[in-house]
Amino acid sequence: MSETEPTAEQDIPHRVRYDSPQEDRSALTIYVSDEDKQRLRELVDLAESEFDEKVYETDVQVAALRCDFSDDEAFLDEMRGIGYGYFD
């Protein structure tokens, strides 16, 4: 198997594979404006209304970092990639 081929474990989203959102992740300190903090709170609310499960702020921050911060659909797609809604 080449290094670029995903393994079965890599196919399982982070949220499903680990017990904690911090597991297998490193801490990163970033500085954001009050406007960005407000947007992150809005994204937490959006995720909580979309998914019928506990939403971790760490996962919201990771998803927001990976997508267009203003695009709700891209954000929700990233949350699904992390594993939210996996068992729906």
Side-chain angles (χ1 to χ4, degrees), residues 18-87:
Y18 297 105
D19 293 329
S20 166
Q22 287 115 1
E23 206 169 327
D24 197 39
R25 289 179 174 162
S26 300
L28 173 67
T29 302
I30 61 171
Y31 298 93
V32 296
S33 68
D34 288 340
E35 182 179 298
D36 291 335
K37 285 182 195 177
Q38 177 59 37
R39 179 60 180 153
L40 287 168
R41 284 191 289 272
E42 291 169 4
L43 292 174
V44 168
D45 291 342
L46 175 64
E48 287 178 344
S49 69
E50 178 73 16
F51 305 107
D52 189 27
E53 57 189 287
K54 180 168 177 50
V55 173
Y56 291 99
E57 192 170 331
T58 299
D59 290 331
V60 169
Q61 293 167 350
V62 168
L65 182 67
R66 291 178 178 170
C67 73
D68 180 350
F69 204 56
S70 63
D71 185 338
D72 289 354
E73 284 307 310
F75 166 75
L76 291 172
D77 286 344
E78 286 296 334
M79 290 295 286
R80 288 183 191 95
I82 290 171
Y84 286 88
Y86 187 78
F87 295 107

